Amino acid sequence: MTTEPASRAADIEAISRLVATVGHSQQNKDPEEFLALFHPDAIWTTAHGKVLIGLDAIAEFTREVLPSADWDGKVTYEVVHVLFIRPDVAAVKVRQRYLAEESEGAPMYVISKQADGRWLLTACQNTGVVTA
């Protein structure tokens, strides 16, 4: 049986907190909490395919859309899998569930660890799950 180094376990815990904060910001429709999680040069693709490049574009979109979103805010975010591409870069698969609508998303977050130890959203794709 192999064990993860303590630093890897700490990184996974930090990544889980990042995803939990994404969820909290969405539940509370708080654009500033959400935007604080992004790398300045981040890329975000919405569930509807809109590509936003850079924090300014992400901020403009988020400040317009999130506070006035027509859903009730009951959403959960769960880390499904973390793949460390390098010690400071990880791909994170997330399960996103909108409880009132009974719909689901399957976002992929590529995140990067900063010099100060924070993990930030860097290249993300928010994908809706279509049920047949």
Side-chain angles (χ1 to χ4, degrees):
M1 182 166 140
T2 61
T3 58
E4 295 177 350
S7 62
R8 180 62 51 97
D11 284 334
I12 289 173
E13 177 59 32
I15 291 165
S16 294
R17 284 193 308 271
L18 170 82
V19 171
T21 303
V22 170
H24 185 267
S25 70
Q26 298 299 298
Q27 291 165 359
N28 293 288
K29 300 181 183 181
D30 184 342
E32 301 314 313
E33 181 180 37
F34 182 64
L35 294 169
L37 304 173
F38 281 89
H39 187 279
D41 297 326
I43 299 169
W44 182 267
T45 303
T46 71
H48 300 291
K50 184 172 182 72
V51 177
L52 306 166
I53 299 174
L55 185 54
D56 289 344
I58 296 166
E60 180 180 354
F61 176 83
T62 300
R63 288 178 180 134
E64 178 183 329
V65 172
L66 186 56
S68 62
D70 63 358
W71 54 281
D72 68 2
K74 293 179 182 167
V75 61
T76 63
Y77 285 71
E78 172 191 359
V79 174
V80 174
H81 185 73
V82 177
L83 170 65
F84 286 92
I85 299 166
R86 299 186 331 206
D88 62 340
V89 177
V92 182
K93 195 63 185 165
V94 174
R95 182 177 186 207
Q96 172 190 55
R97 293 181 31 203
Y98 292 91
L99 304 177
E101 300 170 14
E102 297 184 17
S103 64
E104 190 169 324
M108 170 67 77
Y109 301 154
V110 177
I111 61 175
S112 57
K113 190 174 186 179
Q114 308 307 294
D116 65 4
R118 291 179 307 138
W119 286 92
L120 295 178
L121 300 168
T122 306
C124 305
Q125 172 78 39
N126 194 6
T127 304
V129 174
V130 178
T131 56

